[in-house]
Amino acid sequence: MNAEPILLCADREGVRTLTLNRPHRKNAISRELWIALRDALIAAGDDRSVRALVLAGSGGAFCSGADIATPDPTHPTYKLRNLTAVAELLHNLPIPTIAKVDGVAVGAGWNLALGCDFVVATPGSSFSQIFVKRGLSMDLGGSWLLPRLVGLQQAKRLTMLAETIDADQAHKLNLVTWVVAADEIDGFVDELTGRLASGPPIALAQTKALLNEGADRTLHDALANEARAQAANFATGDAQEAFAAFTGRRTPEFTGRWAVPRPTSENTEVEK
């Protein structure tokens, strides 16, 4: 009998859910799981039918971090390439991403959640930048993410003391977007992803990129990027659809389709 996959993938109404599936290790990410996650993120970014992505864990945990207990002869340089690829792919994914956290989110597991656009957690969830307790420094983008989310001093507190905090504390620090009861989190995430998946895909992708890029750009850069993004938005049918739906008092149906008329032979010069 074949073993159950270490990464589960399910699609529903434009929403793809990737579930880390190593419950016996609290979903600690092995080399094989890093590779599977990397490949799954590439596939999600290339599939235009996917309008939102959810990351979750099985067996009552989100992710206990990288699996450092399982022997792996791979040189750390090569190991970290997979981690780096996952962090960059998640950050650059042109669709909204949601971490659904129920249980522990530790080390790279917590930074995996923080790499998502939204984090929904249950009251019983716990979080730790546990790295220094393992004689390590942070990875998976933690050194970039945390100071931007909580400020430098709180980032130092979380990483240098490696404290474990609960969902309420994480929410107060802006590290969790919503805290939802365990028996309500599935419905909450379904409703949230439904709203995101029905939104204008190009405008959402541009908005996400602008906010991500704006974290370390000048105002001049941000304005130039906004102008570039808005031009791309106006070239889709979604802006026209939104106006038509508003005037028609109906719900818009966004597709992200290109809506600029194609040149005709009458107004196109043929290169000779």
Side-chain angles (χ1 to χ4, degrees):
M1 180 180 293
N2 293 330
E4 192 170 6
I6 57 177
L7 182 67
L8 306 177
C9 179
D11 289 340
R12 179 176 178 271
E13 297 180 352
V15 178
R16 178 162 296 175
T17 299
L18 300 177
T19 303
L20 309 177
N21 191 37
R22 299 184 76 221
H24 61 291
R25 299 282 300 142
K26 293 186 178 180
N27 301 315
I29 307 181
S30 62
R31 178 178 179 274
E32 293 76 18
L33 184 48
W34 282 120
I35 293 171
L37 188 55
R38 178 200 66 192
D39 293 346
L41 291 173
I42 292 172
D46 289 342
D47 189 341
R48 288 198 294 172
S49 70
V50 179
R51 304 278 287 266
L53 181 84
V54 177
L55 282 181
S58 64
F62 179 72
C63 177
S64 59
D67 187 353
I68 60 174
T70 301
D72 182 357
T74 307
H75 191 282
T77 298
Y78 299 113
K79 291 181 185 178
L80 288 166
R81 286 182 182 175
N82 290 322
L83 274 72
T84 298
V86 166
E88 290 185 337
L89 286 164
L90 185 60
H91 182 74
N92 294 323
L93 207 61
I95 55 176
T97 55
I98 300 95
K100 183 165 70 172
V101 179
D102 184 18
V104 298
V106 175
W110 190 6
N111 290 338
L112 183 66
L114 294 177
C116 293
D117 301 316
F118 306 99
V119 180
V120 185
T122 60
S125 298
S126 59
F127 306 84
S128 176
Q129 293 286 327
I130 201 169
F131 298 99
V132 296
K133 290 186 177 180
R134 303 290 182 261
L136 300 169
S137 54
M138 70 208 79
D139 56 28
L140 209 73
S143 63
W144 188 89
L145 289 163
L146 282 167
R148 285 162 174 76
L149 291 168
V150 301
L152 185 58
Q153 285 191 336
Q154 289 293 343
K156 288 179 178 178
R157 166 204 159 189
L158 291 168
T159 55
M160 297 174 76
L161 296 177
E163 297 174 334
T164 296
I165 63 174
D166 60 23
D168 182 60
Q169 291 175 292
H171 184 248
K172 289 176 180 177
L173 287 168
N174 294 322
L175 296 170
V176 165
T177 323
W178 296 278
V179 180
V180 181
D183 60 354
E184 297 176 2
I185 190 169
D186 289 343
F188 183 92
V189 171
D190 287 347
E191 193 272 339
L192 173 62
T193 53
R195 289 164 58 192
L196 292 168
S198 65
I202 302 302
L204 285 172
Q206 297 288 348
T207 299
K208 176 175 176 174
L210 286 169
L211 292 171
N212 285 344
E213 293 168 6
D216 50 9
R217 301 289 175 92
T218 65
L219 175 61
H220 177 79
D221 292 335
L223 290 169
N225 284 341
E226 288 172 0
R228 177 261 307 159
Q230 211 65 300
N233 292 327
F234 283 126
T236 71
D238 287 344
Q240 300 172 34
E241 167 64 8
F243 180 76
F246 175 76
T247 57
R249 297 184 178 182
R250 60 176 176 80
T251 302
E253 296 182 7
F254 295 119
T255 64
R257 292 194 182 96
W258 187 253
V260 176
R262 292 184 177 182
T264 65
S265 58
E266 296 177 357
N267 59 16
T268 303
E269 291 188 9
V270 178
E271 186 177 345
K272 297 181 180 180

